[in-house]
Amino acid sequence: GENVEQHPSTLSVQEGDSAVIKCTYSDSASNYFPWYKQELGKGPQLIIDIRSNVGEKKDQRIAVTLNKTAKHFSLHITETQPEDSAVYFCAAPGGGSQGNLIFGKGTKLSVKP
Amino acid sequence: KAGVTQTPRYLIKTRGQQVTLSCSPISGHRSVSWYQQTPGQGLQFLFEYFSETQRNKGNFPGRFSGRQFSNSRSEMNVSTLELGDSALYLCASSPYMDPRPGELFFGEGSRLTVL
């Protein structure tokens, strides 16, 4: 089955700096890679996703890149703000149904003012 | 549009008891998935329901069960609670209009503590 590894587990940056979180996956057939943000006391919320037919996707200060050959994908946040502080999860399809995602262990991002 | 609603938000049980958690999906969403979130294991898929049928099941013991009603609301049940069942239980809904994987809309979760 699919296995997703996420690094780093914690990341601290100064406001205005960039943050990069990396994930690797094991199943070369995986074709969908979402990123979720979880704030304290809340459920995860999708912030961006990418399908395997594209190599990069951007949405304002957030971008995701995908390298299918190396089986890794990354989240890039530019011009970080204190409200970006949260736990970020990458994921890949677990198979069998739409709702089955295999999540990475998460990255706790702290943005210092 | 109202989001995914989970009840209760917090509950405390003792070992051996059973618990039922409820989830109301976003209106029009027909698929409901359940996840267990713990500090050690992270987010783990429990099961998914669509049109009152279990579509998929994760690697959890039979003590974990669920169901979905005709209005798409879902419940999950954990019987004979163990200390290790202490976790945040998250429900996620999706419109299931596309067979490809897509966005899951999560509720805020039900935090279960087993003493």
Side-chain angles (χ1 to χ4, degrees):
Chain A
E2 177 65 276
N3 183 49
V4 177
E5 300 282 342
Q6 182 173 347
H7 299 280
S9 56
T10 60
L11 180 59
S12 182
V13 300
Q14 288 294 133
E15 182 178 359
D17 287 350
S18 295
V20 180
I21 303 170
K22 298 181 178 181
C23 288
T24 61
Y25 60 98
S26 61
D27 187 352
S28 57
S30 287
N31 56 8
Y32 175 69
F33 306 95
W35 286 90
Y36 283 82
K37 175 184 180 182
Q38 187 174 26
E39 297 176 339
L40 203 59
K42 305 280 188 179
Q45 182 176 13
L46 181 74
I47 56 171
I48 196 167
D49 57 10
I50 191 168
R51 298 192 187 273
S52 58
N53 57 341
V54 298
E56 184 176 6
K57 184 177 179 180
K58 289 184 179 179
D59 183 3
Q60 299 181 12
R61 296 186 297 108
I62 294 172
V64 56
T65 59
L66 172 64
N67 183 325
K68 289 186 290 183
T69 302
K71 290 190 283 188
H72 68 70
F73 56 112
S74 300
L75 177 70
H76 304 255
I77 305 174
T78 59
E79 302 173 21
T80 53
Q81 301 167 3
E83 51 265 38
D84 294 328
S85 296
V87 180
Y88 292 80
F89 295 94
C90 62
S97 65
Q98 191 189 57
N100 180 13
L101 292 177
I102 304 299
F103 285 87
K105 289 294 176 68
T107 296
K108 184 175 182 180
L109 174 64
S110 299
V111 181
K112 299 180 180 180
Chain B
K1 208 175 201 180
V4 176
T5 304
Q6 293 189 245
T7 57
R9 290 292 312 280
Y10 304 91
L11 65 168
I12 301 174
K13 295 285 187 178
T14 56
R15 281 183 302 174
Q17 288 187 311
Q18 66 93 27
V19 66
T20 298
L21 309 177
S22 179
C23 171
S24 293
I26 292 172
S27 178
H29 286 196
R30 300 170 64 189
S31 171
V32 173
S33 300
W34 288 89
Y35 284 80
Q36 181 195 65
Q37 185 175 26
T38 60
Q41 298 300 316
L43 282 152
Q44 293 185 286
F45 173 75
L46 281 158
F47 28 64
E48 178 180 359
Y49 287 86
F50 177 76
S51 291
E52 303 177 65
T53 301
Q54 186 180 89
R55 301 285 286 210
N56 200 356
K57 189 178 191 302
N59 189 26
F60 279 83
R63 299 185 298 107
F64 292 82
S65 63
R67 59 178 177 170
Q68 186 181 32
F69 302 95
S70 58
N71 61 357
S72 294
R73 190 177 71 84
S74 178
E75 290 181 346
M76 68 162 283
N77 183 279
V78 188
S79 62
T80 320
L81 284 166
E82 301 177 359
L83 296 178
D85 296 332
S86 294
L88 180 68
Y89 290 89
L90 291 160
C91 167
S93 73
S94 68
Y96 211 94
M97 298 179 71
D98 190 321
R100 298 181 303 170
E103 182 174 3
L104 298 181
F105 295 81
F106 283 88
E108 295 189 328
S110 293
R111 184 164 296 280
L112 170 66
T113 301
V114 181
L115 302 176

